[in-house]
Amino acid sequence: MKKKIFFNISLIISILLSLNVFSQSSKGDRVQISAPRSKGISGWRIFYGSPQQRVKMVQKSTTIYCDEARQETKTEKVIATGRVKVVDKKTTITGDQLDYDKNKGVVIITGKVVKLIDDDVTLITDKLYYYTSTKDAKYLTGGKVLQETMVLTSIEGYLKKKELIFVKNVVMDDSVKEQHLETEKLIYDRQTKDAVFESRTKIESKDGDVEANAGTYNTESGNVHFEGSAVVENEKYILIGDKIDTNKNTGNSEAEGNVIFFSKQDTALIYADVVVREDSSTFAYGNALMSKPIKGNWMDMYYLAADTLHSINDTTTKENTLYAHYKVSMWNKDMQSRCDSLIYFYNDSMIYFYNDPRIWAQKSQMTGDVIRTDITSKGVERLYLNRNGFIISEDTIKNFNQVKGKKIIAHFENNQLDKVDVKGNGMTRFFQLTDDKKNIYALNKSSCPLMTLYFEEGNEVKNIKYNARSNSTVLPPSKIQGPDKFLPGFKNRFDEKPEKEELLQRVRTRDDLTDSMPRDPSVSKDEIKILWNGTQVLNKNYNGEPLYIERLKQMRKKKALEEENTNDDN
């Protein structure tokens, strides 16, 4: 996140600290009044100004000028009218009338335009209240605060000793910084330096937008905490969570609770319990799931689930890398996998699988100590099984053709296994079928340091090319024994293959975000929309297939109906 995404709220807060007029007054101080002439009438003393000299009232550091003033004899209540001007050190207030009740300790200044000016700060309202005992001030009929290029407006404003409160239709705008804030209540704590938002707040700027139900912003540390359907969006990403903490100085952010993160640069969605943004890195923790279109094709998505996901976008080298750790599973319509650690290099379209990796593609199972894949616009192009490579392919009558070697390279054509290169200690078991593909014709057992196996449709071995001295045996069906069918180390793990629905269980939904949703995250606006209830909608080339959580909801509904029918039968 860029550092300027949040308003410089400290600016408006600091200028409002000086709005305490009559700050040197106390109940026991007398008001000294001077005027060209005066007269007394039934309990009041009236003071009149002249063109050469205005009425002047002084109380400690506060001086009031007006055209006419009335002071009640017993209570010393003062009413000043006519071009009223209050001066207290650097603060000046102007209005049409001033009412000062010394016993009640309240000063009320009214007029078409009541203006308070302090240095380069201006407060405009039509009625300003000031309480001499508490040093509090307020306006209830609308007010505007101006400071250089910044404007703050609200219906009500309360300027207290410990806090400043702005209520109802609170709006802050900066025309130069192109910043805009909207909320219903903003509170500033003078001791903690926290600006507190207690209602739905929107902050928009040229560097990014923020929206949340509540939050705090510390004007000294730059730390920001938003909660309640919090959304942060800038040109690089959208971050959504129940809570979001960020620092405007560093740009680092952390989101918790039903987190959805969309990277506009990578067109990747991440769901997790916690997402942390630090510099060019994104960390996702807790049942994390990433979904991403392969080569920009939203109809060909792959899903990656793990306990932890770590994405790095190196701005210097322009390299994007994804790390997945612990209980990793991946799903695409053409390939599925499980392992305990994974690295995906986006720029090179290469994925490395570590720690007991196993991959399933069509009807083939591939294992090795380390596996690497090459992905092109056509899908998976090559699989490299390094150290203890093992491929198991199921044919049309449930036999397992097997290839084993130190290093195996599996080549795919149109996402079908096309050929396999074996380098080092190569061993095979493959079944030759009858012409009708319904029975075994023979079992071929062979070993060779270097060999290439060619496959045809249905995962059947079409031909084997031996590139070194080989040892082969062909057994007819009558001679095949149980152990002949399997190579040493054979392990059928097809039942471990992840299903799409398993990964989609991790999709977080945000039905609470409806105001300005859906947002369009794609470069071309007519391609894809993502709704934060977990769905994605394509406007172009979309065949109506339910995606994400909608499909999952349909399955759950179907399962619930089946269980209900079963219970009824019982």
Side-chain angles (χ1 to χ4, degrees):
M1 176 189 301
K2 293 190 176 181
K3 296 181 180 179
K4 295 182 181 178
I5 188 170
F6 295 102
F7 257 85
N8 187 0
I9 300 176
S10 58
L11 182 64
I12 178 61
I13 296 305
S14 63
I15 64 179
L16 292 174
L17 296 179
S18 61
L19 297 186
N20 285 338
V21 297
F22 295 94
S23 59
Q24 303 297 319
S25 305
S26 66
K27 189 174 181 181
D29 297 327
R30 294 183 61 83
V31 179
Q32 304 296 326
I33 304 178
S34 60
R37 64 188 183 90
S38 66
K39 71 176 182 179
I41 57 169
S42 44
W44 289 81
R45 191 75 183 173
I46 305 176
F47 300 85
Y48 298 97
S50 68
Q52 294 77 26
Q53 182 182 351
R54 306 188 69 203
V55 178
K56 180 180 180 180
M57 296 178 283
V58 179
Q59 185 181 45
K60 287 240 175 159
S61 65
T62 302
T63 302
I64 301 173
Y65 300 93
C66 61
D67 292 339
E68 181 180 307
R70 297 189 179 201
Q71 184 180 41
E72 193 173 25
T73 307
K74 292 183 179 180
T75 64
E76 295 189 32
K77 178 179 179 181
V78 175
I79 300 175
T81 58
R83 299 180 299 149
V84 175
K85 182 178 181 179
V86 181
V87 179
D88 188 353
K89 296 183 179 179
K90 295 181 179 181
T91 303
T92 301
I93 304 175
T94 57
D96 297 334
Q97 180 172 317
L98 180 149
D99 292 77
Y100 177 31
D101 190 328
K102 184 176 179 182
N103 293 330
K104 293 182 179 180
V106 61
V107 179
I108 303 175
I109 304 172
T110 57
K112 286 186 177 180
V113 177
V114 176
K115 184 179 293 186
L116 183 152
I117 301 175
D118 187 276
D119 286 336
D120 60 346
V121 180
T122 301
L123 168 63
I124 300 174
T125 184
D126 59 5
K127 192 171 188 178
L128 180 67
Y129 299 80
Y130 178 79
Y131 300 89
T132 58
S133 60
T134 62
K135 312 298 186 294
D136 294 342
K138 70 179 180 181
Y139 58 83
L140 303 175
T141 54
K144 179 187 294 185
V145 178
L146 310 174
Q147 201 274 341
E148 295 181 351
T149 60
M150 187 280 304
V151 179
L152 181 148
T153 59
S154 66
I155 303 300
E156 300 176 11
Y158 303 86
L159 317 175
K160 300 183 178 183
K161 184 177 182 180
K162 292 185 178 180
E163 59 187 9
L164 307 174
I165 304 173
F166 301 95
V167 182
K168 297 178 183 178
N169 298 337
V170 182
V171 177
M172 290 174 62
D173 281 298
D174 192 307
S175 58
V176 172
K177 295 180 180 178
E178 300 179 28
Q179 297 171 332
H180 178 79
L181 177 148
E182 293 182 11
T183 187
E184 284 300 302
K185 190 173 184 180
L186 186 156
I187 304 173
Y188 178 74
D189 190 309
R190 295 180 175 181
Q191 294 179 343
T192 64
K193 309 300 182 184
D194 283 333
V196 181
F197 308 96
E198 294 186 343
S199 60
R200 190 68 180 173
T201 301
K202 298 179 181 179
I203 303 176
E204 301 173 355
S205 75
K206 60 183 178 181
D207 299 307
D209 303 334
V210 181
E211 187 176 336
N213 292 341
T216 60
Y217 167 60
N218 190 277
T219 58
E220 286 189 344
S221 66
N223 292 326
V224 182
H225 172 79
F226 283 102
E227 59 183 58
S229 306
V231 181
V232 173
E233 180 175 5
N234 57 34
E235 62 181 7
K236 293 183 178 179
Y237 63 82
I238 301 173
L239 179 62
I240 303 171
D242 294 337
K243 298 179 182 180
I244 295 180
D245 290 276
T246 189
N247 185 292
K248 76 176 187 69
N249 297 320
T250 64
N252 295 338
S253 300
E254 178 175 336
E256 297 182 15
N258 288 325
V259 180
I260 301 174
F261 175 84
F262 179 76
S263 172
K264 298 179 181 180
Q265 294 174 311
D266 303 323
T267 58
L269 269 167
I270 294 178
Y271 304 90
D273 296 334
V274 178
V275 170
V276 179
R277 283 281 299 172
E278 292 181 357
D279 298 324
S280 59
S281 292
T282 302
F283 298 86
Y285 305 101
N287 294 316
L289 172 68
M290 183 184 75
S291 65
K292 180 178 171 62
I294 296 178
K295 297 295 181 179
N297 181 7
W298 286 88
M299 294 307 295
D300 189 11
M301 301 288 292
Y302 82 81
Y303 303 88
L304 178 64
D307 287 351
T308 302
L309 295 174
H310 177 200
S311 177
I312 301 176
N313 294 324
D314 194 313
T315 55
T316 303
T317 62
K318 306 299 182 182
E319 292 181 353
N320 298 340
T321 308
L322 174 69
Y323 299 86
H325 303 287
Y326 315 119
K327 300 178 182 178
V328 180
S329 56
M330 190 173 74
W331 187 95
N332 172 259
K333 61 183 177 63
D334 298 314
M335 188 178 78
Q336 303 81 44
S337 67
R338 288 191 193 274
C339 62
D340 206 51
S341 184
L342 176 149
I343 304 177
Y344 185 179
F345 297 96
Y346 288 126
N347 296 39
D348 300 324
S349 296
M350 292 191 304
I351 304 176
Y352 287 82
F353 303 82
Y354 302 95
N355 300 327
D356 191 24
R358 50 266 196 222
I359 294 178
W360 298 270
Q362 303 302 326
K363 294 185 178 182
S364 298
Q365 171 188 295
M366 285 150 280
T367 58
D369 292 351
V370 177
I371 300 178
R372 191 191 98 192
T373 68
D374 287 345
I375 300 176
T376 69
S377 58
K378 298 179 180 179
V380 179
E381 190 171 85
R382 284 178 297 274
L383 277 170
Y384 299 84
L385 313 180
N386 298 320
R387 297 191 299 274
N388 299 316
F390 208 125
I391 297 179
I392 302 173
S393 298
E394 188 178 25
D395 66 16
T396 55
I397 58 173
K398 306 300 183 182
N399 295 309
F400 293 109
N401 295 315
Q402 303 151 55
V403 183
K404 181 179 180 181
K406 282 186 177 181
K407 183 177 182 180
I408 296 177
I409 303 175
H411 301 262
F412 291 81
E413 187 69 33
N414 296 324
N415 294 311
Q416 296 286 336
L417 189 59
D418 182 57
K419 72 174 182 175
V420 171
D421 294 322
V422 183
K423 300 180 180 181
N425 297 341
M427 301 176 65
T428 67
R429 296 286 190 276
F430 74 89
F431 294 84
Q432 294 176 282
L433 304 182
T434 57
D435 292 339
D436 60 6
K437 309 296 184 183
K438 294 182 179 180
N439 296 287
I440 298 173
Y441 175 74
L443 172 61
N444 186 307
K445 300 170 56 178
S446 63
S447 60
C448 181
L450 301 172
M451 68 176 79
T452 300
L453 291 83
Y454 297 89
F455 288 76
E456 59 185 359
E457 190 174 353
N459 279 339
E460 294 183 34
V461 177
K462 180 170 61 176
N463 185 31
I464 300 179
K465 178 182 178 181
Y466 300 101
N467 301 315
R469 186 174 179 180
S470 65
N471 183 12
S472 300
T473 302
V474 178
L475 299 176
S478 60
K479 299 292 184 179
I480 298 174
Q481 303 295 319
D484 296 324
K485 296 180 180 181
F486 305 103
L487 288 172
F490 173 89
K491 188 175 183 180
N492 182 352
R493 306 180 74 173
F494 281 93
D495 59 345
E496 299 176 18
K497 183 170 65 172
E499 298 296 333
K500 181 179 180 181
E501 285 70 24
E502 173 193 333
L503 278 68
L504 290 183
Q505 295 279 356
R506 300 187 179 207
V507 170
R508 272 63 168 186
T509 60
R510 301 295 322 195
D511 294 324
D512 52 331
L513 295 174
T514 57
D515 294 345
S516 55
M517 303 301 175
R519 307 279 181 98
D520 195 329
S522 64
V523 176
S524 178
K525 293 185 178 181
D526 60 351
E527 288 182 1
I528 178 73
K529 285 183 180 290
I530 294 177
L531 287 74
W532 305 125
N533 64 356
T535 62
Q536 61 185 28
V537 178
L538 292 131
N539 296 327
K540 184 171 68 176
N541 301 326
Y542 180 54
N543 60 10
E545 178 188 12
L547 303 169
Y548 282 147
I549 203 67
E550 289 302 316
R551 172 180 289 182
L552 196 59
K553 285 180 180 178
Q554 291 180 6
M555 294 182 60
R556 289 174 178 169
K557 184 177 181 180
K558 181 180 179 181
K559 184 177 180 181
L561 290 173
E562 291 175 351
E563 292 177 350
E564 184 179 339
N565 294 333
T566 301
N567 293 333
D568 292 342
D569 294 339
N570 294 335

